[in-house]
Amino acid sequence: MSKLNIKVEESWKLVLKEEFNKPYFIQLVNHIKTEKEQGKLIYPKGSNIFNAFNKTPLDKVKVVILGQDPYHGPNQAHGLSFSVQKGIPFPPSLQNIFKELQRDTGTPYPLHGDLSSWAQQGVFLLNASLTVRAAEPMSHSQIGWAIFTDAVIRTISKDCPKVVFMLWGKFAQEKQTRIDSSKHLILKAPHPSPLSAHQGFVGCGHFSTCNHFLAKNGIDPINWHIN
């Protein structure tokens, strides 16, 4: 992992230690390293690849929002699914997330798209692939990240109590088999992309449903207000 200059929060490092040492993960790291040596631009920057893990330790996970891969435009991706750094225009999917959040909970439409305040409360913002080549969506979807993030989802399912999994779109919903549905709440809706948001994402009510489940199980609900 040192080849990518990645640091991972201790609780995650402990449970994923075996994963980091498996041949596929070493190959994955070497693949990214080679692309960088070839002058290819990779998002997010190395220090942000594991941002979701560093902001949300394993024992703090209450909610999982699963995305596909990082944004592939300049200065957008910073290691949290659907989130963009402050000062960056909201991508269409994020706009639809905020519109549904406002409709569902009355939360004011945010001034920025950095979801770090969610992550710090226990919303684990995981992408199925943690890296992408600039301007090439899904370009790292076949290099081993799916194996790794499947292991992450299974770990959360096994080790965490009463987690809400928000699975938006077919891609995310394919991960459902890694989750113990007798233990956790699985919420499914179409992807918030403009192509599918009006087929059921708008009106899904996931944010209020999530907080109702958490409160019912004695877990502090999420303050969805972006601060």
Side-chain angles (χ1 to χ4, degrees):
M1 289 172 61
S2 59
K3 292 177 181 176
L4 278 181
N5 192 29
I6 294 170
K7 293 182 180 177
V8 182
E9 188 273 333
E10 285 301 317
S11 66
W12 285 112
K13 186 186 289 185
L14 189 65
V15 295
L16 296 172
K17 183 171 58 177
E18 288 184 16
E19 219 59 37
F20 290 137
N21 290 318
K22 287 181 179 177
Y24 86 87
F25 195 87
I26 294 166
Q27 190 175 354
L28 183 160
V29 171
N30 288 334
H31 182 100
I32 296 172
K33 182 169 178 273
T34 299
E35 288 199 353
K36 287 188 169 188
E37 287 169 351
Q38 292 170 347
K40 291 175 180 171
L41 189 56
I42 308 296
Y43 295 136
K45 64 181 182 180
S47 60
N48 278 338
I49 291 174
F50 280 82
N51 201 15
F53 298 78
N54 294 330
K55 286 200 185 309
T56 313
L58 178 62
D59 65 345
K60 303 296 185 189
V61 174
K62 301 177 182 179
V63 182
V64 176
I65 298 180
L66 184 65
Q68 292 191 26
D69 63 343
Y71 294 123
H72 53 86
N75 302 314
Q76 291 181 310
H78 64 131
L80 304 177
S81 63
F82 295 105
S83 179
V84 292
Q85 299 181 81
K86 289 179 181 178
I88 301 299
F90 302 166
S93 292
L94 187 58
Q95 291 180 37
N96 286 328
I97 289 169
F98 287 155
K99 286 174 185 173
E100 172 57 19
L101 176 63
Q102 188 175 40
R103 187 210 64 80
D104 181 26
T105 67
T107 300
Y109 199 84
L111 299 176
H112 65 81
D114 184 346
L115 305 181
S116 293
S117 64
W118 291 3
Q120 288 157 357
Q121 295 178 74
V123 182
F124 188 55
L125 296 163
L126 178 68
N127 278 314
S129 298
L130 300 191
T131 57
V132 69
R133 285 195 300 273
E136 295 182 51
M138 301 299 285
S139 49
H140 282 177
S141 63
Q142 303 296 323
I143 68 171
W145 281 126
I147 303 170
F148 176 75
T149 51
D150 279 359
V152 171
I153 292 167
R154 283 193 294 265
T155 298
I156 294 170
S157 180
K158 178 172 67 75
D159 292 353
C160 299
K162 304 295 183 185
V163 172
V164 179
F165 288 84
M166 297 186 186
L167 305 181
W168 299 335
K170 289 180 182 176
F171 184 88
Q173 289 163 19
E174 287 172 359
K175 303 286 190 186
Q176 184 175 344
T177 55
R178 286 78 171 170
I179 304 164
D180 182 350
S181 59
S182 69
K183 179 180 175 184
H184 305 291
L185 178 63
I186 299 173
L187 300 177
K188 296 189 287 186
H191 195 275
S193 153
L195 298 174
S196 55
H198 292 281
Q199 296 170 10
F201 178 79
V202 174
C204 69
H206 281 187
F207 301 100
S208 59
T209 303
C210 166
N211 275 353
H212 178 74
F213 176 84
L214 294 176
K216 187 176 72 174
N217 287 285
I219 301 166
D220 287 340
I222 304 299
N223 176 5
W224 296 110
H225 182 76
I226 308 291
N227 42 34

